[in-house]
Amino acid sequence: MLVEQIWTGNAYRNFNYLVACPETGDALAIDPLDFRKCLAAAAERGWNITKVLNTHEHGDHTGGNKGIVSATRATVIAHHNAAGRIPGMTEGVGAGDVIRIGKTVELQCLDTPGHTMSHICLLSKTDIPALFSGDTLFNAGAGNCHNGGHPEELFETFEQQLEQLGDDTLIYPGHEYLMNNLAFTLDREPDNSVAQQMIHDYENQDPANALVTTMAQEREINTFFRLRSPGVIARLAEQFPEMGDNPDARAVFLKLRELRNSW
Ligand SMILES: [Zn+2]
Ligand SMILES: [Zn+2]
């Protein structure tokens, strides 16, 4: 499986992706907002974009569909419940469906509500375990729930699906928010030495050549996977004594999501 992470350089800091089969050169474009950059990257590598996958219905993920389709006649795949809200959508998918690219790439669809209620993450279980996580999971962070989502559903997605991923799974998110998210992690857990080190190492990174984290790293630096960390709980308990000393993971997640909204 070949993966090209494309930095759009726009104000929303979107990442677009091409995922290609090394044998046939067929490629899937994920959230190809900057369709010109995606088409140029495919042409440069000799890849042929045959499918588009929108992780969800927001315009910063679907806005390039038309440009890709008119240049390639690719099909457009998204969550079946997003039908009618995505320009040019031709195929709906749900949990467990598999998207095949060329001869060698198989991506399993995860139904991951929370950021919106029609959100798909793609999981590759072939040679390189990888998750294309859209706006559900970011490096060191979680998606917001302001535009059609629900924090309770996002918690369930994290707890029941993302937490289950193997430590070596590579994380390919829909936006580049690493520094901001690490700063929030340190606000919640000032003595998190892994997050401190990562801020130090990557504060000047070029988003066009960004760090790709693993699930093992996310478990260390992403507050939304650290719901049982004594440090996270103690700091919340200081600020919100009504939560008590032993809050459950759901209560911790919801409070963190709320704090991140106004942070
Ligand atoms: Zn979104
Ligand atoms: Zn987005």
Side-chain angles (χ1 to χ4, degrees), residues 127-143:
D127 48 348
I128 310 164
L131 183 77
F132 298 89
S133 59
D135 287 2
T136 297
L137 168 64
F138 299 124
N139 299 130

Side-chain angles (χ1 to χ4, degrees), residues 148-167:
H150 293 289
E152 298 259 356
E153 299 281 347
L154 191 63
F155 166 71
E156 295 295 338
T157 289
F158 267 66
E159 192 79 350
Q160 291 176 21
Q161 299 191 72
L162 304 184
E163 266 288 3
Q164 312 307 319
L165 298 172
D167 273 346

Side-chain angles (χ1 to χ4, degrees), residues 6 36 56 60 73 87 143 154 160 177 194-195 230 244 251 262:
I6 294 165
R36 289 184 187 87
H56 63 294
D60 61 314
R73 299 197 193 133
L154 191 63
Q160 291 176 21
Y177 295 150
V194 181
S262 54

Side-chain angles (χ1 to χ4, degrees), residues 11 14 37 41 50 58 84 99 104 111 136-137 147-148 150 171 175 187 208 215 220 238 254:
N14 288 81
K37 276 192 186 172
T50 56
H58 288 159
I99 297 174
T104 60
D111 187 348
T136 297
L137 168 64
N147 296 296
H150 293 289
I171 304 302
H175 294 263
D187 180 64
M215 264 307 291
E220 304 234 55
E238 263 171 39
L254 295 176

